[in-house]
Amino acid sequence: MKRIFKFILNTIPRPILIRLSIVVRPILAFILKGNRFTDPIDGKSFSMFLPYGYGNQRNNVLSPSTLSLERHRLLWLYLQNETDFFTATLKKKVLHFAPEQEFYKRFKKQTNIEYTTTDLLSPLADVKADICDLPFEDNSYDIIFCNHVLEHIPDDTKAMQELYRVLKPGGMGVFQIPQELSRATTFSDDTILDQKERAKIFGQYDHVRVYGRDYFDKLRSIGFKVVEEDYTAKLSSELVEKYCLAKGEIIPVCFK
């Protein structure tokens, strides 16, 4: 199964994968029904989660029902338990880059947010836009989600500046990235062109860098106040295992 999923991820373009997953998802959820692991996003339980990874495949990562990964489930729990994102009565303007399927329909249904999605390629995007040159006014959004996007962007400094520009004063942004916390400084090398080699070094063939611990300070240099939220440390080991989370993963919660 690992080889099959690895082949699919590395050969089928992401927009096509999104469309195909709509058909495949209910079939996988039915086949793998059980009670060992639970997806907190929809509350459904399974005998196993699916493997995932462009390079090294990780076991029990991809939820059969929502297709969420560890980072999605962690963010959902954080928003649900530590913020008023789902319960606020005052409507907030939310901008979501490259919207994840597991969040898209659920956020769309929320009556307490004004929800806008944006991306250059995603079929789920309301606004087709370049993150380095956004068509939005200054101080427009109360909340911005930009998760696992910046590692694809050659000029991530410009992208961060644009995120800061369109976030309202007092607003919150969550900018998750794949990160090696054992690495002090971010690594990039534009001379590596082979896709297999890029997947091996950067974790995915279309990534342009591996972020280190200095990622948080780079966000601070743009102007953000950054909370390095180690949310799995606030959960029991039983829940971390039950929800198939990545222990020690940091959520970068940013404020303007």
Side-chain angles (χ1 to χ4, degrees):
M1 184 178 290
K2 282 187 175 182
R3 290 182 179 180
I4 294 173
F5 274 82
K6 185 175 182 178
F7 175 79
I8 291 172
L9 287 171
N10 284 283
T11 55
I12 300 178
R14 193 183 303 272
I16 297 177
L17 278 176
I18 292 173
R19 292 186 173 93
L20 289 175
S21 66
I22 296 172
V23 177
V24 175
R25 185 167 49 188
I27 300 172
L28 291 173
F30 177 77
I31 294 173
L32 297 176
K33 186 179 292 187
N35 56 19
R36 183 180 179 190
F37 301 116
T38 299
D39 185 336
I41 296 175
D42 64 3
K44 293 181 180 179
S45 297
F46 305 94
S47 59
M48 63 175 286
F49 278 10
L50 298 163
Y52 187 87
Y54 284 79
N56 295 324
Q57 291 267 301
R58 309 187 304 281
N59 288 322
N60 292 314
V61 170
L62 188 69
S63 166
S65 57
T66 67
L67 299 184
S68 65
L69 300 172
E70 306 106 320
R71 65 179 184 267
H72 305 129
R73 296 186 290 275
L74 184 66
L75 177 56
W76 180 273
L77 289 166
Y78 175 78
L79 293 173
Q80 185 179 63
N81 298 334
E82 305 296 328
T83 77
D84 65 352
F85 179 75
F86 296 109
T87 58
T89 55
L90 184 64
K91 182 171 284 192
K92 297 181 181 182
K93 291 186 67 177
V94 177
L95 181 63
H96 195 168
F97 287 82
E100 300 93 337
Q101 290 184 75
E102 51 273 30
F103 296 147
Y104 177 75
K105 287 185 178 181
R106 292 169 174 83
F107 290 176
K108 274 282 189 183
K109 291 178 181 178
Q110 284 185 227
T111 57
N112 68 331
I113 65 174
E114 183 181 329
Y115 184 58
T116 301
T117 59
T118 183
D119 192 60
L120 275 177
L121 300 174
S122 173
L124 302 180
D126 299 319
V127 180
K128 302 293 184 183
D130 181 351
I131 192 173
C132 294
D133 186 20
L134 295 172
F136 309 116
E137 294 183 1
D138 296 358
N139 309 315
S140 294
Y141 292 95
D142 299 287
I143 300 172
I144 298 177
F145 296 117
C146 181
N147 298 323
H148 283 237
V149 172
L150 293 172
E151 68 274 12
H152 298 269
I153 309 301
D155 190 353
D156 65 339
T157 300
K158 178 60 177 173
M160 290 177 185
Q161 290 170 340
E162 281 291 87
L163 292 172
Y164 187 83
R165 180 181 67 79
V166 301
L167 184 66
K168 288 182 180 180
M172 180 186 78
V174 179
F175 311 139
Q176 291 173 304
I177 40 83
Q179 185 177 28
E180 292 184 8
L181 292 172
S182 61
R183 183 187 294 272
T185 57
T186 297
F187 171 76
S188 62
D189 187 342
D190 295 336
T191 66
I192 304 171
L193 302 178
D194 180 74
Q195 287 195 353
K196 289 184 179 180
E197 189 69 11
R198 293 188 69 81
K200 180 180 178 181
I201 295 174
F202 297 116
Q204 198 165 304
Y205 68 91
D206 54 353
H207 289 183
V208 299
R209 66 183 61 82
V210 180
Y211 283 107
R213 296 191 304 275
D214 59 342
Y215 172 66
F216 308 114
D217 286 334
K218 181 162 187 176
L219 289 168
R220 292 184 180 106
S221 73
I222 300 299
F224 291 108
K225 299 176 183 177
V226 182
V227 176
E228 301 172 30
E229 182 65 62
D230 182 4
Y231 195 57
T232 60
K234 298 181 180 180
L235 302 172
S236 68
S237 57
E238 290 79 13
L239 285 180
V240 170
E241 181 178 357
K242 178 181 179 181
Y243 295 143
C244 293
L245 304 177
K247 190 171 180 59
E249 180 174 356
I250 305 298
I251 304 175
V253 185
C254 304
F255 299 93
K256 181 175 178 179

